[in-house]
C-alpha cells in the first residue's frame, strides 16, 4: 500500500506543482484561461470522490480499480509527450481524466490501511505512510526541477522530459499494484482452492472493524 501511495501521489503532486507553467508552454492558445484549466484536476475530483467512494464500497475490487487509475495517468502523460497538437480541447480532456484518476485511486487506497492493520495501530500506520509519502513527493519534485534545468533549452523547456519521468513513475506504481493483485489472488486461491473466489464484502469488513472497536473500548474501560 505504501509503495502504491508513493508512486501515484509523487506523480500527481509533482505534476500539479508545475501544471500552470507546463500548460502555458504546452498550450499557448489557452491564454488567460490556463489557471482554470490547471485547476480542473481538483475541481473534477469534488463530485467524483463521493461517487467513486460509493461505487468502491458497493463493488469492492480496490486493487484492479487502482490499476485503472494508473493506466489513465499514463494515458494523460503519453498524449502530452507524443501528440503535437496544442488544442485546448486536449488540455481540458486530459485534466478531467487526471481528476477522475486521482478521485478513483483516492477512493480505493485511502480506506485500505484501516482495513488491514490492528485498530490500536491505525494512527501509527497512517502517520508512517504519510511521512514516507511526503518524503517521496519531495524527491519527485526535486527530480522534476532537475529535469527542467537539464533540458531547459529543449522543446517546451524540458517538460517533455518531465512527462517521460512521470510516465516512468506511474508505470512503476502500476507494476506494484499489479503484483499486489496477483499476490492477493494467489493467497485467496490457497485458502479456497479451485472454487470460485468469494467477492470481498466491504460491509462485512466494516462490521468486523466496528465490533473490534467496541470490544477494545470495553476492555479499555
Amino acid at each position: 500500500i505504501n509503495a502504491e501511495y508513493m508512486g501515484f501521489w509523487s506523480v500527481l503532486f509533482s505534476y500539479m506543482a508545475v501544471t500552470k507553467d507546463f500548460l502555458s508552454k504546452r498550450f499557448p492558445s489557452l491564454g488567460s484561461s490556463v489557471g482554470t484549466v490547471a485547476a480542473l484536476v481538483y475541481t473534477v475530483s469534488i463530485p467524483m470522490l463521493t461517487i467513486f467512494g460509493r461505487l468502491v464500497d458497493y463493488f469492492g475490487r480496490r486493487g484492479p480499480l487502482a490499476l485503472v487509475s494508473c493506466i489513465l495517468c499514463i494515458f494523460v502523460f503519453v498524449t502530452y509527450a507524443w501528440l503535437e497538437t496544442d488544442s485546448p480541447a486536449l488540455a481540458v480532456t486530459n485534466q478531467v481524466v487526471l481528476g477522475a484518476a486521482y478521485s478513483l485511486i483516492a477512493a480505493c487506497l485511502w480506506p485500505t490501511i484501516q482495513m488491514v492493520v490492528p485498530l490500536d495501530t491505525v494512527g501509527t500506520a497512517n502517520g508512517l505512510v504519510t511521512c514516507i509519502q511526503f518524503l517521496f513527493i519531495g524527491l519527485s519534485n526535486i527530480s522534476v526541477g532537475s529535469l527542467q534545468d537539464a533540458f531547459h533549452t529543449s522543446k517546451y523547456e524540458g517538460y517533455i522530459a518531465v512527462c517521460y519521468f512521470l510516465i516512468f513513475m506511474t508505470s512503476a506504481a502500476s507494476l506494484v499494484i499489479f503484483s499486489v493483485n496477483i499476490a492477493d489472488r494467489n493467497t485467496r486461491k490457497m485458502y479456497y482452492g479451485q472454487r470460485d473466489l468469494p467477492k470481498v464484502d466491504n460491509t462485512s469488513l466494516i462490521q468486523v472493524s466496528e465490533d473490534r472497536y467496541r470490544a477494545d473500548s470495553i476492555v479499555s474501560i
Side-chain angles (χ1 to χ4, degrees):
I1 294 171
N2 203 3
E4 295 167 13
Y5 271 115
M6 289 186 299
F8 190 88
W9 298 138
S10 295
V11 169
L12 179 72
F13 291 120
S14 296
Y15 171 72
M16 292 306 296
V18 297
T19 301
K20 186 175 180 181
D21 187 56
F22 165 69
L23 291 178
S24 66
K25 291 180 171 61
R26 180 67 176 78
F27 301 94
S29 55
L30 286 173
S32 60
S33 62
V34 65
T36 302
V37 176
L40 279 176
V41 172
Y42 293 136
T43 305
V44 166
S45 72
I46 295 171
M48 283 191 173
L49 276 167
T50 303
I51 295 170
F52 285 149
R54 179 56 187 151
L55 289 175
V56 169
D57 283 343
Y58 187 80
F59 292 106
R61 308 299 181 188
R62 297 176 188 275
L65 289 175
L67 185 59
V68 169
S69 300
C70 287
I71 292 172
L72 289 175
C73 273
I74 292 172
F75 166 79
V76 168
F77 296 123
V78 165
T79 56
Y80 277 149
W82 290 358
L83 295 184
E84 293 296 329
T85 179
D86 64 347
S87 169
L90 176 63
V92 171
T93 300
N94 278 354
Q95 292 296 102
V96 170
V97 170
L98 198 59
Y102 163 63
S103 303
L104 183 57
I105 202 165
C108 291
L109 292 186
W110 278 348
T112 51
I113 295 175
Q114 288 71 252
M115 291 181 173
V116 298
V117 302
L119 287 176
D120 58 349
T121 62
V122 168
T124 303
N126 277 288
L128 181 61
V129 168
T130 303
C131 178
I132 298 174
Q133 170 189 323
F134 279 106
L135 171 63
F136 274 81
I137 289 173
L139 293 174
S140 184
N141 280 331
I142 292 172
S143 299
V144 167
S146 299
L147 286 170
Q148 287 182 271
D149 291 340
F151 296 94
H152 70 278
T153 57
S154 62
K155 192 175 183 180
Y156 304 127
E157 298 185 14
Y159 277 116
I160 299 302
V162 170
C163 284
Y164 282 120
F165 169 72
L166 297 178
I167 291 169
F168 169 78
M169 291 288 292
T170 314
S171 299
S174 300
L175 288 175
V176 171
I177 294 174
F178 180 76
S179 300
V180 169
N181 280 309
I182 296 297
D184 177 64
R185 186 168 184 82
N186 290 340
T187 301
R188 295 172 70 197
K189 274 186 177 179
M190 240 180 357
Y191 287 103
Y192 296 100
Q194 297 303 315
R195 293 175 294 164
D196 291 336
L197 298 179
K199 179 179 178 294
V200 175
D201 184 354
N202 291 292
T203 304
S204 299
L205 285 172
I206 293 170
Q207 185 61 50
V208 169
S209 295
E210 289 177 349
D211 291 343
R212 288 169 59 197
Y213 176 75
R214 291 193 190 98
D216 289 347
S217 298
I218 292 171
V219 172
S220 297
I221 292 171

